[in-house]
Amino acid sequence: RMAELLNDPSILIGLGDGGAHVDMLCDSGYPTYLLGTWVRERGVLSLEQAVQRMTSDPADLFGITDRGRLRPGLAADVTIFDPASIGSSNRGERRFDLPGGGKRMVMPSRGVEYTFVNGYKTYAGGEVVGANAGVVLRDAARPGIQVIVRVVCWHVADRLKLHGCGRIPVPLAVRVAIP
């Protein structure tokens, strides 16, 4: 079923949590998990299809015209990775590095060499480096519009894992407000 969902052009591949559950789960590794597991290991998507599904497809849907493609004059948001080693596990790691020793979950990735945001190097050799170059992205042509997006939500509740269910893809409809 996942092969069908990942190849359905009406489904936007993505994730949004905003850190609401930072101490319980971390699914931020979905891009590297997708590239390692569903592209390289299982061959469900080509590398080119997967990159398009995670870059230009969402940019087009949300009307963010200067992102999602490598072209002169557009923002230079680029991740350079090794296709032979890209990936992440399907479980996060606990770290106690929040103020007061608070717990958070992280999803370490493999195979990412560099990340550039707006043309500035922000990640290299496994470490965050350089400037915080990100900006809030908005669709200037459609302020306030609401878009209905079909997504796949990975439900990874520990109680389900205890019952042997593991990762369960759940199709949802999500209303996204674009301010």
Side-chain angles (χ1 to χ4, degrees):
R1 179 88 170 121
M2 278 306 299
E4 177 186 341
L5 294 171
L6 289 171
N7 281 288
D8 185 337
S10 71
I11 294 176
L12 178 66
I13 298 174
L15 175 76
D17 186 357
H21 308 97
V22 70
D23 65 334
M24 293 180 259
L25 61 100
C26 180
D27 281 338
S28 64
Y30 86 87
T32 53
Y33 186 80
L34 175 81
L35 293 169
T37 302
W38 295 103
V39 172
R40 185 184 62 246
E41 294 173 13
R42 298 188 186 181
V44 169
L45 294 167
S46 71
L47 181 59
E48 295 81 5
Q49 288 172 312
V51 169
Q52 177 183 340
R53 298 296 312 276
M54 293 188 292
T55 58
S56 62
D57 284 1
D60 292 348
L61 177 71
F62 292 109
I64 303 169
T65 58
D66 69 337
R67 308 288 165 150
R69 291 172 176 79
L70 293 176
R71 289 195 184 136
L74 299 185
D77 292 346
V78 180
T79 298
I80 299 171
F81 61 90
D82 175 5
S85 64
I86 191 76
S88 60
S89 67
N90 63 359
R91 271 191 83 90
E93 296 176 1
R94 270 189 202 95
R95 295 203 181 147
F96 295 89
D97 58 359
L98 294 177
K103 177 182 82 168
R104 71 180 175 121
M105 299 298 289
V106 297
M107 184 65 71
S109 297
R110 299 178 305 275
V112 176
E113 305 294 332
Y114 300 97
T115 300
F116 295 86
V117 177
N118 290 317
Y120 294 94
K121 184 170 24 174
T122 59
Y123 179 88
E127 300 292 329
V128 175
V129 299
N132 293 326
V135 296
V136 175
L137 303 177
R138 300 184 190 281
D139 178 357
R142 301 180 295 172
I145 193 168
Q146 291 190 343
V147 180
I148 303 296
V149 182
R150 277 179 62 203
V151 299
V152 175
C153 174
W154 287 108
H155 190 344
V156 292
D158 283 342
R159 67 179 177 271
L160 292 177
K161 287 182 180 269
L162 293 175
H163 297 292
C165 297
R167 288 180 160 258
I168 301 173
V170 182
L172 303 179
V174 177
R175 184 174 301 269
V176 178
I178 302 173

